[in-house]
Amino acid sequence: MSDTNHHNLFELRGISKSFGRQQVLRGIDLEIPRGKTTVVIGASGCGKSVLLKHLIVLLRPDHGNIFFDGERIDNLRENRLIDVRRRVGYLFQAGALFDSQTVAQNIAFSLIEHTQYTPEEINQLVRDKLELVGMAGFEQRLPSELSGGQQRRVALARAIALSPEVILYDEPTTGLDPIRADIINELIIKLQRGRLITSVVVTHDMNSAYKIGDRIIMLHNGEIIADGDPEAIQQSEHPDVRRFIRGESRREDH
C-alpha cells in the first residue's frame, strides 16, 4: 500500500510535461478529492487539457508521479491502464461522437467492448443513461440530426455508460448558448450530487466554474496560481487571476 491519502481519488506529484521546447506543465502538485467537483480554469493553451489527459495517462509525464485510488499509474503498461480507464468517464471537447452511428450505438459502444451484458441489458442501460441526461427517445437519431447541446448531452450519456466513479470534462459548455450551457451545468451537478461522482472540469466559462465548482484551480504558465472555493477565487488579489475572471486583456495580449 502506498502512502497516498484515500480521501483523494487522484494525486499528482511534481508533474512536468514539455512538447519540444515548450514546457506546458511545470512541477504540478495536485490532489483531487473524492465526490467533489474540481474545476480547472486558465487561458487557452495554458495546459488545462494536457493536465486532464495526464489523469488517465493518455499523456505520460516527463517527470513526476500520478496516483489513482492509492495506486501509482503513470508507470503502468497500456493493458494495465484499461482497468483504470473503465472507472473514468471522459467527455471530450465538442463531444466527439461517432458520426456514422446512432445515438444508441454511440452509448452502447463501451458497454459492448468492456462488459458481458446481454443485448437486452445494454439496450436498457442505454435508455437509462439517455433518460438521465434528458434525451429519452433519441436512440435512433444520428448525431448530425441533433443540435450542439443535444450532441453534448449524448456524449455525456456515453461518458457515464459504464457508471464511472469519476468524470473528466474537457470544455463541456464551449460553443453552446447560455441556456444550453446551463443545462450541461445542471447535469454535472446532478451527477455529482445524486451519484457522488468525482468530477474534474476544464473550462474557461466562469459562470459554469462558479456554479458547478466545489473548488477552482487556475493554471497559468504551467503552474497553479490559485486554488480555492468559488468565493475565494472571486476575491483573489492575484493580478493574473483577477484579469482572467474579469476577462480583461493586457497590453501584451494585443
Side-chain angles (χ1 to χ4, degrees):
M1 200 60 227
S2 74
D3 60 346
T4 53
N5 179 345
H6 268 274
H7 169 64
N8 298 314
L9 196 54
F10 290 100
E11 293 192 24
L12 304 185
R13 296 188 185 166
I15 298 297
S16 295
K17 183 69 177 178
S18 297
F19 297 102
R21 289 185 177 172
Q22 188 195 7
Q23 188 166 12
V24 181
L25 299 178
R26 304 167 189 267
I28 297 277
D29 290 314
L30 178 62
E31 298 177 343
I32 293 176
R34 293 171 188 277
K36 302 284 185 195
T37 297
T38 301
V39 177
V40 185
I41 62 171
S44 298
C46 74
K48 301 187 300 292
S49 294
V50 170
L51 180 69
L52 204 61
K53 286 177 176 147
H54 274 79
L55 293 177
I56 48 172
V57 202
L58 288 172
L59 290 171
R60 291 181 190 262
D62 298 335
H63 303 286
N65 301 143
I66 303 164
F67 294 85
F68 174 67
D69 199 13
E71 182 190 10
R72 186 178 163 195
I73 60 169
D74 58 280
N75 55 352
L76 294 182
R77 301 226 295 270
E78 281 297 313
N79 60 346
R80 290 282 315 284
L81 282 165
I82 292 168
D83 291 335
V84 172
R85 291 175 183 153
R86 281 175 57 174
R87 297 167 62 186
V88 180
Y90 200 122
L91 185 67
F92 291 96
Q93 214 163 338
L97 295 169
F98 303 125
D99 296 332
S100 59
Q101 296 191 346
T102 63
V103 164
Q105 287 169 328
N106 264 285
I107 297 164
F109 182 78
S110 60
L111 292 165
I112 293 167
E113 289 279 292
H114 296 297
T115 72
Q116 305 297 313
Y117 291 130
T118 65
E120 291 74 26
E121 288 169 326
I122 288 176
N123 287 339
Q124 185 59 52
L125 281 165
V126 167
R127 281 197 295 274
D128 292 346
K129 302 305 180 191
L130 282 173
E131 197 167 321
L132 200 57
V133 300
M135 291 292 290
F138 284 77
E139 284 84 348
Q140 299 314 312
R141 300 276 186 96
L142 288 169
S144 58
E145 300 173 301
L146 306 176
S147 71
Q150 289 173 331
Q151 288 182 14
R152 208 69 59 90
R153 282 191 271 167
V154 170
L156 183 51
R158 185 179 66 179
I160 60 174
L162 291 169
S163 299
E165 296 161 53
V166 53
I167 305 177
L168 310 180
Y169 300 88
D170 196 356
E171 300 281 7
T173 60
T174 295
L176 300 180
D177 66 55
I179 291 170
R180 285 180 176 78
D182 201 52
I183 291 170
I184 298 295
N185 291 335
E186 291 286 350
L187 280 170
I188 293 171
I189 293 168
K190 176 175 160 184
L191 287 169
Q192 185 250 321
R193 292 197 183 143
R195 303 189 164 223
L196 297 179
I197 287 177
T198 304
S199 307
V200 185
V201 185
V202 159
T203 189
H204 55 253
D205 174 347
M206 290 313 302
N207 289 331
S208 178
Y210 293 143
K211 178 163 186 168
I212 65 177
D214 293 304
R215 168 195 186 197
I216 299 173
I217 64 169
M218 180 165 168
L219 277 185
H220 183 71
N221 290 338
E223 297 175 339
I224 294 172
I225 62 165
D227 182 349
D229 63 22
E231 197 175 347
I233 297 297
Q234 281 169 312
Q235 293 170 355
S236 172
E237 296 295 317
H238 193 298
D240 290 311
V241 178
R242 292 180 69 131
R243 249 195 308 270
F244 181 80
I245 66 176
R246 293 175 183 182
E248 297 164 1
S249 63
R250 295 171 299 186
R251 280 211 182 85
E252 58 263 43
D253 294 330
H254 293 288

